[in-house]
Amino acid sequence: MAGVRDPESVAEHAWRTSVIASVIATLEGADAARAARAAHLAVWHDSQETRTGDVNHLGKKYAAAADPEAVTEDQTAGMPEVLRTAVRAVVAEYEAKETPEAICARDADKLECMLQGLEYKAQGYGSAQRWIDNSRARIVTESGQRLADELLDQAPLDWLRAVMGEKG
């Protein structure tokens, strides 16, 4: 939708989302186990896209998106019972949007999408602004909102310039 030639992979998105989920959960007061749970939810949150691809907002206008739990059920059908049950439970918890860990993981997904949009915009893809705005608007935790605002107040590589001692 933004015209990006080589967008990030599902794996890249899931990795960054899981790191961000642990950060948001920690900032929201979670202990180490709950922060790890939020990261775990984030690792699996888009695993269905390895089968379906990422259906964007426009695509959903023409074709219904697959039910994540149904795709996960199919993906895990051949797994040992203990693993199948665990993966399905993780996806169900994420999709239910009820636990604090799921809320942090969902915010991490939106924050990572916003960050990716900021990076694409910095590379010259101006149409990524809609992506940035939509992602920012869907972040609900106080910590996620604060992190989003901090990202919006800087360029994607400001951290590198600071480490290198360069003046902005």
Side-chain angles (χ1 to χ4, degrees), residues 10-11 13-14 40-54 67-69 71-76 79 87-88 90-92 94-95 109:
V10 173
H13 170 67
H40 186 66
L41 293 171
V43 165
W44 289 96
H45 85 282
D46 275 342
S47 60
Q48 308 81 22
E49 290 180 9
T50 62
R51 297 263 175 106
T52 65
D54 185 7
D67 173 39
E69 291 180 75
V71 175
T72 300
E73 187 172 320
D74 183 60
Q75 285 177 307
T76 60
M79 292 180 177
V87 171
R88 289 176 182 178
V90 165
V91 171
Y94 180 84
E95 293 300 324
D109 178 43

Side-chain angles (χ1 to χ4, degrees), residues 155 157-168:
L157 292 179
D158 281 355
W159 67 272
L160 178 59
R161 290 182 192 93
V163 168
M164 300 301 290
E166 298 174 8
K167 302 208 187 236

